[in-house]
Amino acid sequence: MKLILKDEGMRTDLSYGELNISGNEEYGFRPFQLMVASIAGCSAGVFRKVLEKQRVEFEDIQLDASVERNPKEANRIEKITLHFVVKGHRLNQEKLEKSLAVSRKNCSMVRSVENSIQIEEKVEAIELSM
């Protein structure tokens, strides 16, 4: 990945498009946002694959990621909470929780930060009417 210095941050050109990174949201994504998005995106993608392999039928998965930072330590990310909402028919809460535990073990981004950032995952099932 090649990064190019700009007046207000950095830019990189990726196969999907241009990515602007800056400490100022007016000029690009903030580095902590990219870190949280990377962890959330990886976790959600692996969770989806695990559910599909286990033949869990769902209509939708939504994810809310929240972050706690420590202003006394350069705004270090201390904790990321990932709250998954799975919508579908005949969902089994216990099976969803087990699937999330399997996905945690197989998400490279979560595994990369597990000894420095606390990652908390929650899953909620929303039963859709027939």
Side-chain angles (χ1 to χ4, degrees), residues 52-87:
E52 289 170 350
K53 282 185 179 182
Q54 294 184 354
R55 293 184 169 83
V56 173
E57 294 182 26
F58 57 90
E59 296 294 321
D60 189 29
I61 299 175
Q62 296 177 359
L63 172 58
D64 181 44
S66 60
V67 62
E68 292 178 24
R69 299 176 72 190
N70 186 340
K72 294 178 182 174
E73 291 187 30
N75 261 340
R76 176 187 182 284
I77 297 173
E78 299 271 327
K79 179 179 179 183
I80 297 173
T81 302
L82 304 175
H83 180 200
F84 292 86
V85 178
V86 181
K87 297 178 183 180

Side-chain angles (χ1 to χ4, degrees), residues 35 76-79 110 112-119:
M35 172 76 81
R76 176 187 182 284
I77 297 173
E78 299 271 327
K79 179 179 179 183
V110 169
S112 294
V113 301
E114 67 188 353
N115 293 319
S116 59
I117 298 174
Q118 180 185 354
I119 307 292

Side-chain angles (χ1 to χ4, degrees), residues 6 8-9 20-30 33:
K6 300 181 341 174
E8 295 294 334
N20 290 291
I21 305 165
S22 175
N24 183 335
E25 280 185 47
E26 292 180 29
Y27 299 102
F29 292 100
R30 295 181 63 199
Q33 292 170 323

Side-chain angles (χ1 to χ4, degrees), residues 34-45:
L34 294 171
M35 172 76 81
V36 174
S38 176
I39 291 166
C42 178
S43 185

Side-chain angles (χ1 to χ4, degrees), residues 47 96-106 121:
F47 183 46
L96 291 175
E97 289 172 6
K98 286 180 181 178
S99 296
L100 190 56
V102 169
S103 71
R104 180 186 185 98
K105 292 178 186 175
N106 291 284
E121 297 163 311

